[in-house]
Amino acid sequence: MIRTIFLDGQYLKVNAQIIEAFTPGVFKAKGVFETMLGQKGAVLDTDLHLKRLRAGLKILGVKSPPINPLVLKEVLRRNHLSCGRVRLMVWQAGQQTHVMMTALPLKASHKKIYRVCLIKTNRSANARLAGLKSLDYELFAQAYAQALRQGFDEALLLNRSGTIFEASRANIFWIKDKVLYTPPLSSGCLNGITRQQVLKGAGNLKIPVKEKNLTPDILKKADAVFLTNSLIGIKPVEVAIVDACPACGGACL
């Protein structure tokens, strides 16, 4: 399948293998990425995504290049997508900074509830790249693939301290006794765009909100659990407190 991408100021027609080679977790470079929802010709929350992208580049010491948000819409249009997954990547190679934008069809999930499992990782809560949408994404890509192999829809990730900091592609929330909880940024989670919007919306509705470290025991007792990201929005989950990698105790990531 031929797709149109934007790379360093040019629109190029490339095959699926090229796009796959530049997938975060496969393509390794010093840089960051953002994944946005394209809907009805618009790319949602572009300003928030660009703000986070620029903040990430600053942390990495990469000079932020000029980015025209209208190009994101144009990539969506050139791929004839009314709804799609739009990705913006910026990375440094030598002294040069590169910008790539892609748009792919969004695979709609008809599942009302995701089944998720737990996967242990060796990630530290204060890891240097914690909180960044870094192209150093291999841990998350592997966890997601591992969960799918075991028949789940997502993986909840435990850090080195044994607390769940996020899912492989989403933030996690839970409700207990009419209070909304989510792990703090200090746990190593990404400050997701939808996470920010849920917290703001809950505040506007006077819903009690607390940030709290999440353990499997707390999760077992939750009244409800849901995941959030820019593509799935808010997705209720059914948690399976099982080890998705029994051979190694889940500590292989």
Side-chain angles (χ1 to χ4, degrees):
M1 182 71 176
I2 300 300
R3 296 286 179 190
T4 298
I5 68 170
F6 177 86
L7 177 62
D8 294 341
Q10 299 183 68
Y11 293 98
L12 305 172
K13 292 187 178 296
V14 301
N15 59 35
Q17 287 77 14
I18 295 295
I19 295 178
E20 176 63 28
F22 281 93
T23 300
V26 176
F27 177 67
K28 298 178 181 179
K30 182 181 180 181
V32 295
F33 73 100
E34 291 288 328
T35 303
M36 293 157 271
L37 177 62
Q39 197 171 66
K40 296 181 180 179
V43 180
L44 305 187
D45 300 317
T46 304
D47 54 340
L48 296 175
H49 284 282
L50 289 179
K51 180 180 179 181
R52 186 173 63 184
L53 179 133
R54 293 183 180 115
L57 291 173
K58 184 177 182 180
I59 291 172
L60 291 177
V62 176
K63 185 177 180 180
S64 181
I67 297 172
N68 185 348
L70 295 178
V71 177
L72 294 165
K73 293 174 61 176
E74 181 62 15
V75 172
L76 191 69
R77 187 190 71 80
R78 291 192 181 212
N79 285 284
H80 310 290
L81 295 172
S82 60
C83 184
R85 185 173 79 250
V86 180
R87 179 181 293 140
L88 166 62
M89 295 171 52
V90 179
W91 72 94
Q92 187 178 68
Q95 299 301 312
Q96 188 172 359
T97 301
H98 300 276
V99 177
M100 176 184 279
M101 303 180 193
T102 61
L104 295 172
L106 184 62
K107 297 178 181 178
S109 173
H110 300 292
K111 295 184 177 181
K112 293 183 178 180
I113 299 177
Y114 276 9
R115 294 189 68 245
V116 300
C117 62
L118 298 179
I119 291 183
K120 297 176 183 177
T121 76
N122 199 34
R123 186 179 176 89
S124 170
N126 60 358
R128 186 176 73 90
L129 298 181
L132 294 184
K133 289 279 286 188
S134 167
L135 289 174
D136 184 11
Y137 194 69
E138 189 172 7
L139 181 150
F140 301 94
Q142 288 182 353
Y144 182 68
Q146 186 172 310
L148 294 185
R149 286 196 301 270
Q150 297 293 328
F152 296 96
D153 302 301
E154 247 291 12
L156 302 183
L157 308 180
L158 292 107
N159 59 27
R160 198 180 298 170
S161 301
T163 63
I164 299 166
F165 59 101
E166 62 188 354
S168 71
R169 297 184 170 195
N171 290 111
I172 183 168
F173 287 82
W174 73 100
I175 299 171
K176 181 64 178 178
D177 297 330
K178 298 182 180 180
V179 177
L180 179 64
Y181 294 91
T182 195
L185 298 181
S186 60
S187 69
C189 70
L190 180 74
N191 192 13
I193 302 301
T194 309
R195 177 187 188 272
Q196 297 173 41
Q197 293 169 334
V198 168
L199 293 176
K200 181 179 179 180
N204 291 339
L205 294 172
K206 309 299 182 184
I207 297 172
V209 178
K210 293 183 180 180
E211 292 188 336
K212 180 178 180 179
N213 284 325
L214 175 60
T215 64
D217 284 342
I218 292 174
L219 202 59
K220 290 178 184 178
K221 300 173 184 177
D223 298 325
V225 182
F226 62 90
L227 301 180
T228 64
N229 71 26
S230 294
L231 299 184
I232 65 174
I234 297 175
K235 179 69 70 172
V237 299
E238 173 188 311
V239 182
I241 307 294
V242 299
D243 186 347
C245 191
C248 65
C252 57
L253 297 180

